[in-house]
Every structure is written in structure tokens, then in C-alpha cells.
Amino acid sequence: MKRKRELDVDFIGGQEPLTKDEEKALSEFFRQKKDNVSKRSSNRMKLTKSKKQNV
């Protein structure tokens, strides 16, 4: 027989909507994170291309 699992979920902060400043801060954070990921992937592509040319 399957037992139903109950999740213990915690909430961080209240249930009120975000303020404009909070929305702006989150948007900036995710934009920077996306830029960092794309920079790393472009650097890897450059390294991979240079390794292939050296072989």
C-alpha cells in the first residue's frame, strides 16, 4: 500500500506581492547570472576551438 508523503515546506518572507525595488533587484541578479553563464560558455568555446587548431 502506498503511503502519502507530506512535504514540510517553509516559506521565506510574506505572501505580499514584491515591491518595485525588489522586482528590480531580482531582475538585475538574474541578468548578471545569465551574463556570467554566457561568458563562461563563450570562453569554453574559444578554448575548444584553439585546442582543435593546435592539434
Side-chain angles (χ1 to χ4, degrees), residues 17-29:
L18 296 175
T19 64
K20 294 292 181 187
D21 291 334
E22 291 170 332
E23 287 180 20
K24 192 182 235 183
L26 285 172
S27 295
E28 184 63 28
F29 170 78

Side-chain angles (χ1 to χ4, degrees), residues 23-39:
E23 287 180 20
K24 192 182 235 183
L26 285 172
S27 295
E28 184 63 28
F29 170 78
F30 288 118
R31 186 178 308 113
Q32 287 177 354
K33 189 173 181 178
K34 183 178 178 181
D35 289 344
N36 288 342
V37 169
S38 65
K39 284 180 186 177

Side-chain angles (χ1 to χ4, degrees), residues 4 6-7 10 12 14 18 20 34-35 42-43 47 53:
K4 191 171 187 176
E6 186 174 328
L7 300 177
D10 291 328
I12 298 174
L18 296 175
K20 294 292 181 187
K34 183 178 178 181
D35 289 344
S42 67
N43 286 342
L47 288 174
Q53 289 175 355

